[in-house]
Amino acid sequence: MTIQKLFLTFFGAGLSPKAPGTVGTLASLPVGLAVLYYFGTETLFMLTLAITIIGIFEVNKYEQATGIHDHQQIVIDEAAGMWLSLMIAYETASTMNYPYAVLLAIVFSFAAFRLFDIWKPSTIGWIDRELKGGLGVMLDDVLAGIAGGFLSAVVLMAIERLF
């Protein structure tokens, strides 16, 4: 397997015969959690920024070589979106004063990111439909990650208000 394919498939997670996007998102979650735990949010943010920029260029190369736009095996965009959602939810949870807030942040960030990634409402859907190449592939997931993170943060804050 080439380095490009390892990168684009997030170490092969995108090669799953069923639900490669969900598998790629699940595979990226423990990596994101490990980076958060050992290196902090700033490092995960910089890593996310780096894979997003590199992803744009590598997806462009892949699409030029194959003629296929947004192949289902490409899941590096899911990793970027998941990590953004996780960062926002995790940082919100770290300010909460109730048990299991961080665990809930992890679960909500995953579920909310997948919701927005699959549903593709508003601008997320427009980007997915209209922007071609690596920018379109990466940007819709970046926005889905931000939206998922904000939704998770709102839910976490609502739970704190209730208890």
Side-chain angles (χ1 to χ4, degrees):
M1 188 178 302
T2 66
I3 291 174
Q4 181 191 42
K5 191 159 189 173
L6 274 172
F7 175 77
L8 292 175
T9 64
F10 198 75
F11 305 102
L15 301 175
S16 170
K18 293 189 180 185
T22 300
V23 172
T25 304
L26 274 172
S28 70
L29 185 55
V31 175
L33 287 169
V35 173
L36 272 176
Y37 182 78
Y38 291 107
F39 303 106
T41 305
E42 298 85 1
T43 302
L44 184 57
F45 179 78
M46 294 308 292
L47 181 60
T48 303
L49 183 61
I51 69 160
T52 300
I53 293 168
I54 294 166
I56 291 167
F57 290 103
E58 289 302 318
V59 169
N60 282 340
K61 284 190 228 175
Y62 177 85
E63 288 187 359
Q64 287 172 352
T66 65
I68 302 170
H69 174 67
D70 202 2
H71 194 285
Q72 68 179 9
Q73 291 181 347
I74 297 173
V75 294
I76 195 64
D77 51 331
E78 270 78 15
M82 180 65 243
W83 291 347
L84 286 165
S85 185
L86 178 63
M87 280 183 271
I88 295 166
Y90 183 86
E91 286 300 316
T92 302
S94 69
T95 68
M96 302 286 119
N97 293 314
Y98 59 89
Y100 307 111
V102 171
L103 179 61
L104 289 174
I106 295 165
V107 172
F108 292 160
S109 66
F110 173 81
F113 167 67
R114 289 306 295 153
L115 170 74
F116 285 108
D117 189 31
I118 293 166
W119 177 27
K120 298 187 187 313
S122 185
T123 306
I124 300 167
W126 183 87
I127 288 169
D128 183 59
R129 289 186 307 276
E130 302 298 327
L131 280 184
K132 300 303 175 205
L135 188 61
V137 170
M138 296 301 295
L139 194 55
D140 74 306
D141 287 83
V142 164
L143 288 182
I146 293 168
F150 284 150
L151 177 60
S152 299
V154 167
V155 172
L156 289 164
M157 290 186 284
I159 291 170
E160 185 174 54
R161 292 261 183 207
L162 291 172
F163 301 101

